[in-house]
Amino acid sequence: MMKRLGLIGYPVEHSLSPAFQQAALDALGIPAHYELWPTPPAELSTRIATLREPNVVGANVTVPHKEAVTRFVDSLAPRALRAGAVNTIVVRSTGLHGDNTDIPGFLFPLTRRGFPIGDLRVVLLGAGGAARAVVVAFADHRCRSLVIANRSLARAQALVAEFGLGRALPLGTELLPELATADLLVNATSVGWDGHSSPIPLEWLDVLPSHALVYDLTYRQTPLLAAAHARGLATLDGLEMLVAQGAESFRLWFQMDPPYELMLRAATDARARRFGTNG
């Protein structure tokens, strides 16, 4: 029987996940098909119920359902419980198990490059679901300092209070002194996905130290990344994180190591077809 997996979200048509997950399934000879499952919020409980069918192995979950889906699974991994969000569902004999692989996925490109997490001064833009995964990652692997900046200061303050980590600032000029000493600037907002907007004025990048890395979780080229690159700063988009979290999901579903490099090549090719060579 052909096994089934899929991505639950709304919309999902833009996703690169089928390209790299199917590549891994085919390379390992696993008889399974990775599908897109567009699911409006009103249909989420019905969709989750279909995961209990015999041929379903699991699912990924993306916006806007990562937080809501926690109510429909039977158990939660500790990291998913801490993040308050699920991006991976594993079908077990005991029911549906929710996990969050965004957390190791975010860290993977940094550790792969040898960044000393414990020594980093981090400025994080955003306080939504993606930012929560980043905060959990840094709570587990302590960074030297963390500043969370958000348009709604109250949301940033809530994150700081919940995790007992970092300081909260508004997205204003108060952020400039923090940028001037930052080793890592992370954009965990969706601002920039349109290819035109930026979460901060681009001239603020001028105060970053020359060694700083600008990490945008959006998996395509953004004005923030382009401006950072033009200034000679190191940059990292979200494609490696996307594949790394997907690889961890694969590991949870099948209890085997997936071919990460093959998955990354498939994702890179799919992105080039979708957005052009530079995303």
Side-chain angles (χ1 to χ4, degrees):
M1 177 187 296
M2 179 68 71
K3 299 293 185 180
R4 299 176 66 210
L5 304 109
L7 176 66
I8 299 170
Y10 195 74
V12 292
E13 290 76 16
H14 65 283
S15 177
L16 304 181
S17 292
F20 65 81
Q21 293 287 14
Q22 194 64 53
L25 292 166
D26 294 345
L28 295 177
I30 297 173
H33 189 242
Y34 191 98
E35 305 165 1
L36 291 176
W37 293 332
T39 306
E43 299 174 12
L44 182 59
S45 62
T46 302
R47 173 66 69 186
I48 299 302
T50 67
L51 301 185
R52 301 180 188 276
E53 296 173 1
N55 61 333
V56 179
V57 176
N60 285 127
V61 182
T62 189
V63 292
H65 301 315
K66 290 185 181 184
E67 295 178 18
V69 80
T70 60
R71 304 194 304 270
F72 300 110
V73 295
D74 302 304
S75 60
L76 287 170
R79 61 190 177 189
L81 187 62
R82 292 182 68 203
V86 163
N87 80 319
T88 302
I89 298 174
V90 183
V91 178
R92 293 179 171 178
S93 59
T94 54
L96 302 181
H97 181 69
D99 208 329
N100 190 313
T101 67
D102 284 334
I103 298 164
F106 165 76
L107 287 172
F108 179 80
L110 298 175
T111 56
R112 194 183 195 207
R113 288 165 170 78
F115 278 84
I117 304 299
D119 292 334
L120 295 179
R121 294 182 176 91
V122 182
V123 173
L124 171 63
L125 307 179
R132 289 184 65 87
V134 174
V135 175
V136 172
F138 284 128
D140 291 342
H141 303 268
R142 288 279 176 173
C143 56
R144 187 169 180 178
S145 67
L146 174 65
V147 171
I148 303 173
N150 194 56
R151 282 182 297 179
S152 166
L153 179 59
R155 291 194 70 182
Q157 291 171 328
L159 268 185
V160 169
E162 180 178 350
F163 291 98
L165 181 68
R167 294 187 296 116
L169 285 177
L171 275 175
T173 54
E174 301 96 325
L175 194 57
L176 288 172
E178 306 301 331
L179 291 172
T181 60
D183 304 302
L184 175 64
L185 171 62
V186 180
N187 178 30
T189 77
S190 60
V191 180
W193 174 260
D194 60 5
H196 304 290
S197 54
S198 173
I200 58 173
L202 295 177
E203 59 267 23
W204 288 8
L205 296 173
D206 292 335
V207 307
L208 284 171
S210 60
H211 69 271
L213 171 68
V214 178
Y215 186 176
D216 196 320
L217 304 192
T218 299
Y219 57 81
R220 61 175 299 185
Q221 181 71 290
T222 65
L224 184 70
L225 291 176
H229 179 74
R231 287 163 170 79
L233 296 167
T235 61
L236 177 63
D237 65 44
L239 189 69
E240 288 183 48
M241 174 182 173
L242 175 70
V243 177
Q245 63 81 29
E248 180 65 15
S249 297
F250 192 104
R251 192 173 289 109
L252 293 171
W253 293 324
F254 297 106
Q255 299 298 302
M256 67 175 69
D257 290 332
Y260 173 81
E261 296 299 336
L262 180 147
M263 296 169 81
L264 183 59
R265 288 195 300 272
T268 301
D269 291 345
R271 180 176 66 176
R273 291 192 298 271
R274 182 79 47 84
F275 302 116
T277 304
N278 295 319

